[in-house]
Amino acid sequence: MTPKEYLKQAYRLDQKINSDIAEATKLRSMASCVGSPGFEEHYNPNRLTEASFTIRLERVWELEQKINAEIDRLVDLKEQIRTVIDRVENPDEQMVLRYRYIHNWTWERIGNVLHADARTVRRWHGKALLHVILPENPIKI
């Protein structure tokens, strides 16, 4: 795994969490809608006996447990990434890595904060990646 691949993991996991949160929100809103009862005269042994909203609520609960586990992994991963970034000696390179991989900022935003153009920021980023030393047991998602 290259330093760039390692550092990008936090962004990918963050996006996955956001996607799961959006899905949980949609399921929660679907669970709040109660369907009308069916008054069929015939017996259907394959028909669910549970209300559909309870099934959705169970799914929301399972998804929220998954989200919480992913958030825990993201916190651990970001802590490890911070430690790796802190080992880079040049403060400009360090800040570029922090803004890019901890805060997920764009090159332009990083340049505005560091008072440099995007090209300079990318150059610092390239140099910084050469100075990154991966941990012995990197967290992988």
Side-chain angles (χ1 to χ4, degrees), residues 81-103 110 114 124-125 127-129 131-132:
I81 288 173
R82 275 189 199 90
T83 303
V84 167
I85 291 172
D86 288 342
R87 291 184 191 142
V88 174
E89 292 181 18
N90 185 308
D92 291 329
E93 294 173 3
Q94 210 177 77
M95 292 311 298
V96 169
L97 293 176
R98 274 186 178 277
Y99 289 137
R100 185 67 178 177
Y101 297 109
I102 301 293
H103 302 292
I110 296 169
L114 297 179
W124 288 342
H125 176 260
K127 287 181 180 180
L129 289 177
H131 299 129
V132 168

Side-chain angles (χ1 to χ4, degrees), residues 12-132:
R12 294 286 175 231
L13 186 54
D14 195 32
Q15 293 301 312
K16 187 174 187 294
I17 290 169
N18 289 337
S19 173
D20 288 344
I21 289 171
E23 183 182 348
T25 303
K26 184 176 179 180
L27 283 172
R28 198 174 295 114
S29 71
M30 288 171 57
S32 66
C33 301
V34 179
S36 63
F39 296 107
E40 301 94 24
E41 291 186 22
H42 65 283
Y43 173 72
N44 183 353
N46 297 327
R47 184 165 184 243
L48 296 174
T49 56
E50 243 182 307
S52 63
F53 71 92
T54 60
I55 295 169
R56 290 187 195 115
L57 285 175
E58 287 175 7
R59 176 71 178 118
V60 167
W61 184 82
E62 290 169 1
L63 192 55
E64 286 175 348
Q65 296 303 312
K66 179 183 170 189
I67 291 168
N68 288 334
E70 288 174 343
I71 289 171
D72 290 341
R73 287 179 62 201
L74 180 63
V75 169
D76 293 342
L77 179 62
K78 280 194 175 187
E79 183 59 37
Q80 192 178 62
I81 288 173
R82 275 189 199 90
T83 303
V84 167
I85 291 172
D86 288 342
R87 291 184 191 142
V88 174
E89 292 181 18
N90 185 308
D92 291 329
E93 294 173 3
Q94 210 177 77
M95 292 311 298
V96 169
L97 293 176
R98 274 186 178 277
Y99 289 137
R100 185 67 178 177
Y101 297 109
I102 301 293
H103 302 292
N104 300 321
W105 286 7
T106 63
W107 299 119
E108 290 76 22
R109 187 170 178 191
I110 296 169
N112 287 339
V113 170
L114 297 179
H115 304 291
D117 62 359
R119 191 171 172 196
T120 302
V121 170
R122 284 191 184 96
R123 185 171 37 88
W124 288 342
H125 176 260
K127 287 181 180 180
L129 289 177
L130 297 174
H131 299 129
V132 168

Side-chain angles (χ1 to χ4, degrees), residues 3-13 81 101 141:
K4 189 173 184 177
E5 291 170 341
Y6 169 73
L7 295 170
K8 285 173 87 175
Q9 290 183 108
Y11 174 77
R12 294 286 175 231
L13 186 54
I81 288 173
Y101 297 109
I141 60 164

